[in-house]
């Protein structure tokens, strides 16, 4: 049985979306698309950080997610509209949940 099932993943996705919106509002899309910026999952929840801590349960660099890759520019960080954050939250949730669910033995 996975640690993060459908209900927990849904709650996590909402949490991640809220963090992404807050970060986008404070720093713009370049703040999310900067190298090293990642979504980290630890016992306290999801957080957006400028680098991945070694003790995180799971983490994903935002730039590695498909939605972010579509908005990266060859000449710089690019620009991502706010309406892309929903897709970004879904992708981040899938990545983080897969990492956490690998921790749990079958």
């Amino acid at each position: 049985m996975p640690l993060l099932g459908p209900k927990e993943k849904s709650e996590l996705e909402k949490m991640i979306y809220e963090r992404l919106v807050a970060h986008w509002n404070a720093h713009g899309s370049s703040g999310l698309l900067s190298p090293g910026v990642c979504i980290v999952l630890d016992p306290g929840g999801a957080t957006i950080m400028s680098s991945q801590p070694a003790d995180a349960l799971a983490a994903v660099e935002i730039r590695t997610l498909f939605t972010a890759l579509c908005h990266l520019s060859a000449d710089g960080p690019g620009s991502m509209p706010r309406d892309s954050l929903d897709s970004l939250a879904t992708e981040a949730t899938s990545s983080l949940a897969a990492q956490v669910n690998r921790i749990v033995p079958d």
Side-chain angles (χ1 to χ4, degrees), residues 3-21 39-48 57-60 85-101:
L3 185 61
L4 294 178
K7 181 179 177 186
E8 293 82 11
K9 283 175 64 175
S10 176
E11 291 173 14
L12 178 60
E13 185 172 341
K14 289 175 191 172
M15 183 186 308
I16 290 171
Y17 177 76
E18 291 169 0
R19 303 300 188 278
L20 288 168
V21 168
I39 301 171
V40 175
L41 186 61
D42 62 25
T47 308
I48 297 178
L57 292 173
V60 61
L85 299 181
D86 190 45
S87 295
L88 199 63
T90 300
E91 292 171 41
T93 301
S94 293
S95 176
L96 295 171
Q99 291 174 52
V100 168
N101 286 339

Side-chain angles (χ1 to χ4, degrees), residues 20 23-24 28-34 37 48 62 80 85 88:
L20 288 168
H23 196 84
W24 191 92
S29 64
S30 63
L32 286 174
L33 295 175
S34 295
V37 175
I48 297 178
I62 292 173
M80 183 170 41
L85 299 181
L88 199 63

